[in-house]
Amino acid sequence: MTGEDEPLETEEVEEARVAFRSQPHPIPADARVTYKLAQIALVLNVFNKQSASIENLHLFTWSLQNRRRGQMLLSWWAGNRLANTITKRSDPHLQVALNVGLIRGMVKISGPNNHRVTLAPQGILFARQIESDDELMAAEKTFLRQFRRLSDASVARHLTRSV
C-alpha cells in the first residue's frame, strides 16, 4: 500500500475466507428477564399488599443474587452488623425486568416520583404459581420466608436500628 486507501484486488477478495463458529456466551440467571420477573414476584409477594418501594425491591433482589449477599442482609436485619454499611444496594438488571413486567401487566408503578412497585393481578397469579411448586426457586423462597411479612416501615426499622 502506498499510504492511501487502495481498494483490495479482486483476487484477494475472492481468496479471503470468512469462518463463523458458535461460541456460546451464556447469560447469567440473574440477568435473565424471566428469572428477574420471578424474583420480583416473590419479593413483592412477601411485602404487605404486595407492594414495596423501589429501594426495598432493589435491596431484596440484590440479596437473592448469591449466598454472601443474603447473609449480609440477614446480618443487618438481625442487628449483628452495622446497617450504616448498607448505603444503597441495587440490582442492575431490575429496571429492565420492571419495564417488561409493566408492559405485560405484572406490576404497577405508583407513588410520589413513581418509587412504589406493586404486583398487578397477573403478577399475583405468577407469584402464586411459583409458590405452589416446592422445587421451583426453593432457595429464594426459603431465604425470603426468614423475613416473614415485610413492609417498607419494617425494613426501615430493622436496617436503621443499629446505626
Side-chain angles (χ1 to χ4, degrees):
M1 295 218 153
T2 61
E4 295 179 24
D5 289 333
E6 295 178 7
L8 291 174
E9 297 295 323
T10 304
E11 187 176 308
E12 290 175 16
V13 171
E14 288 174 0
E15 290 179 16
R17 299 248 184 241
V18 177
F20 294 96
R21 357 174 226 164
S22 177
Q23 294 183 330
H25 296 281
I27 298 172
D30 65 330
R32 296 178 188 160
V33 173
T34 305
Y35 176 74
K36 192 56 64 182
L37 282 171
Q39 279 188 333
I40 291 167
L42 286 176
V43 168
L44 290 176
N45 199 44
V46 298
F47 271 82
N48 287 339
K49 299 180 183 178
Q50 287 93 19
S51 185
S53 70
I54 189 75
E55 293 85 6
N56 286 333
L57 186 57
H58 267 287
L59 175 65
F60 279 86
T61 58
W62 169 86
S63 72
L64 290 172
Q65 289 179 2
N66 62 51
R67 173 170 252 147
R68 181 177 175 271
R69 289 178 179 183
Q71 291 303 315
M72 287 173 69
L73 180 56
L74 286 170
S75 183
W76 293 326
W77 194 263
N80 298 331
R81 189 171 178 180
L82 291 180
N84 63 0
T85 61
I86 184 172
T87 59
K88 283 192 176 183
R89 302 296 178 178
S90 64
D91 180 344
H93 306 291
L94 184 64
Q95 192 59 50
V96 172
L98 282 175
N99 288 339
V100 172
L102 190 60
I103 290 167
R104 291 189 171 190
M106 295 177 73
V107 296
K108 296 182 278 189
I109 310 294
S110 62
N113 299 320
N114 292 322
H115 88 287
R116 182 151 218 76
V117 182
T118 305
L119 280 180
Q122 284 290 104
I124 293 169
L125 178 62
F126 187 43
R128 286 182 183 157
Q129 288 173 333
I130 296 167
E131 288 289 349
S132 70
D133 185 336
D134 292 337
E135 294 180 19
L136 184 62
M137 300 185 78
E140 291 88 340
K141 291 187 285 193
T142 299
F143 175 76
L144 290 170
R145 285 183 188 128
Q146 296 177 76
F147 297 96
R148 299 199 176 130
R149 201 73 180 152
L150 292 169
S151 67
D152 290 334
S154 69
V155 172
R157 276 193 310 272
H158 277 89
L159 298 183
T160 58
R161 69 177 175 201
S162 59
V163 176

